[in-house]
Amino acid sequence: MSAEIHITFEGETVLARKGESLAASLAAHGVQAFRTTRCEAERGLFCGMGVCQDCLVEVDGKPNQRACMTKVDRPLVVRREAHARPLAPIDAGRPPVTIGEIEMIEPEVLVIGAGPGGLSAAIAARRAGASVLVVDERSQPGGQYFKQLSVEAPPEAPPDAQHREGAVLIEEAGRLGVVIRSGVTVWGAFEPNEFAATAEGRTLRLLPKAAIIATGAYERGWPVPGWTLPGVMTTGAAQTLWRTARRLPGRRVLIAGNGPLNLQLAAELIAGGAEVVAVVESAPRPGVAHAGLIARMALASPQLIRDGLRYHAARRSGRAAMIHGMVVAGIEKTAAGLSVHLRSQDGAAEQRREVDALCLGYGFEPSNELLRALGCGHDYDPLRRQLVTRRNSDGLTDIAGIYALGDCTGLGGARAALAEGIIVGVAAARALGHQPDAGLASRLARAATDLARHRRFQQALWSLYAAPAYSAKLATPETLLCRCEEVSFGQIEEALSEEMRLMGAIKRRTRVGMGRCQGRYCAPVLDALLAERYGRPRDEFTGFAPRVPVKPVAIEDLARLG
């Protein structure tokens, strides 16, 4: 087992494993509430990937630290983050710096994101002869799909095939000379091809000759009564706890949402010893009418079909119910944990489940903030309810020197991103004057075939999992739409009653979308609500405009080198 480290949380000793996140340590100790808001509401782990900013804690006297992104590498003194607690003053002893004094890095090819697509693109570009720098916000490469174990695995839960595949990819990148820098937050994108980032408290300027953006996606919000309660988290957050630290979100867990990731999580948590009471899928139960879709999926990727059957077998072995056609309609805090209200899509059937933790996975939103900040064009896909980046067959956007791939451009899955990465990496290297050898050209041809195959699989998959979109009818006037600024649906309705029809006006009136997550969870819901209310289509201009910084950054990091 990993070396144990003693951390202190609110005066109580917590045994943590070296290398795991602080959020994983606290969750294993039964801590669900990490901070209180200005309305004195408790919040805990939600997204598990540094997006929502709800797991903020004070670490060694430093406030506003994300527990999910803070690695335990030494004894720590941790306190709950209280909104009313005064912040420590910034040290004024050091003079501010000018932009000319900020460290500047000029890689030939810059890849932003070290997930499957980013690593694949970096390897291909390097094989083609380009020098490559990969930067990623997380503490280790692999992204959301190839999450690597950050602790020594117990004998009963060693790294699985997905872990090992990711480790091989990371090792190959390092062996070829790809430079990977973890813990780098890219928060600004400017034309022509300039990026601003922070790393270990220092500000960086990145000026590549070509940039490949592979920033992935994050899970959609599901604003229903109680969705901000501690113990309610995304499917991805629970999976990160297990796949990186072998920690469980709770002993008795309910998983609800739309898509196959929820089934995979159920299998993993059951293997880890959790009691998964049910997997609640909003799509209807597959029947004879879906046989053609399943056959198409089996032809496109038999291995993924086998994985799905394996997950179902694990679910059945753990006696977890499979419930179709129902959604989470509300959550209440009880003395024993959480009471989850389930409702059928037509409202005719209802259930209640009592659990320790609820995992929500109702689809994804592309992390396209950098692409939009650069001015890359996007089109709205009404079927997938998301923006899709305009690109040519090589992944080149309509901004010179900017390539994009993977789920940040529109969801396609990890397998498609791996294949697409080869195509995009080679294209970026070629544009800079490099030529792939015969071996790489052969890989390129296989990648094109694989990409087409996996796109066929994804099209059939999402037809199989087709389900109604989120409806604001699930919310009450008191339900929070904006988690960060605690703006309720009732406040939004008040703004609409004043004839405010534009998101910008509603934002100024209510502060919706002005919080730390910068509208990532509330903006798509509000945009859809306005589109439905006023009968207008959604497009790249109907949501909030991208703003720099695209991710929260400390003023101290902006003002001086650190």
Side-chain angles (χ1 to χ4, degrees), residues 1 10 59 96 117 216 292 298 354 402 488 493 552:
M1 295 290 290
E10 294 289 328
V59 180
E354 310 297 321
I402 303 294
S488 69
E493 286 296 335

Side-chain angles (χ1 to χ4, degrees), residues 285-353:
R285 185 182 300 277
V288 176
H290 298 95
L293 291 173
I294 296 172
R296 281 165 52 192
M297 291 164 60
L299 287 172
S301 182
Q303 181 57 54
L304 291 179
I305 289 293
R306 286 193 289 270
D307 288 343
L309 293 174
R310 180 164 52 85
Y311 298 147
H312 268 298
R315 174 191 61 78
R316 286 191 292 269
S317 71
R319 300 182 179 179
M322 187 76 212
I323 302 172
H324 285 88
M326 299 193 85
V327 298
V328 172
I331 310 109
E332 295 176 2
K333 184 177 180 179
T334 67
L338 299 172
S339 178
V340 183
H341 178 203
L342 303 176
R343 181 187 300 167
S344 62
Q345 296 282 8
D346 60 7
E350 295 183 289
Q351 294 184 24
R352 278 205 175 267
R353 300 283 176 144

Side-chain angles (χ1 to χ4, degrees), residues 223 365 380 385 469-477 479-482 487-497 500-503 506 510 512 521-539 542-544:
E365 291 288 338
Y380 183 73
R385 304 188 297 276
Y470 169 82
S471 171
K473 293 178 181 178
L474 292 169
T476 64
T479 302
L480 294 184
L481 170 61
C482 178
V487 179
S488 69
F489 277 84
Q491 290 171 287
I492 298 297
E493 286 296 335
E494 288 179 11
L496 295 177
S497 70
M500 293 184 180
R501 299 190 175 197
L502 299 178
M503 285 188 65
I506 297 172
T510 66
V512 63
Y521 293 101
C522 60
V525 176
L526 179 57
D527 196 20
L529 189 156
L530 294 178
E532 181 181 5
R533 179 75 58 91
Y534 298 115
R536 57 157 178 76
R538 295 176 64 185
D539 58 36
T542 58
F544 294 143

Side-chain angles (χ1 to χ4, degrees), residues 99 102 110 112 185-198 203-211 213 368-376 397 399-402 546-551 553 558:
I99 192 169
I102 294 174
L110 172 68
I112 303 175
T185 300
V186 180
W187 51 262
F190 314 91
E191 292 187 80
N193 220 345
E194 179 175 355
F195 300 88
T198 56
T203 302
L204 307 174
R205 293 176 66 199
L206 305 171
L207 288 86
K209 293 180 180 177
I213 298 179
N368 54 23
E369 299 83 14
L370 293 175
L371 292 166
R372 295 182 65 214
L374 286 165
C376 300
T397 70
I399 301 296
I402 303 294
R547 294 277 191 263
V548 174
V550 301
K551 289 193 174 182
V553 59
L558 296 178

Side-chain angles (χ1 to χ4, degrees), residues 416-456:
L418 284 167
E420 194 174 25
I422 297 174
I423 297 169
V424 173
V426 170
R430 273 181 171 158
L432 297 175
H434 300 284
Q435 290 300 323
D437 59 21
L440 188 54
S442 176
R443 287 193 179 197
L444 191 61
R446 288 198 304 272
T449 301
D450 288 344
L451 179 58
R453 180 166 56 87
H454 287 300
R455 282 179 172 166
R456 289 196 300 273

Side-chain angles (χ1 to χ4, degrees), residues 204-276:
L204 307 174
R205 293 176 66 199
L206 305 171
L207 288 86
K209 293 180 180 177
I212 299 174
I213 298 179
T215 44
Y218 58 93
E219 277 156 302
R220 282 180 169 139
W222 190 254
V224 294
W227 76 299
T228 61
L229 286 170
V232 180
M233 66 187 72
T234 67
T235 294
Q239 191 178 56
T240 297
L241 290 177
W242 177 248
R243 296 195 64 78
T244 65
R246 293 305 193 225
R247 300 291 202 182
L248 297 173
R251 302 306 305 181
R252 186 172 168 83
V253 183
L254 178 69
I255 303 171
N258 179 222
L261 179 61
N262 298 313
L263 192 59
Q264 179 181 353
L265 175 65
E268 292 171 344
L269 296 187
I270 288 169
E275 179 190 354
V276 176

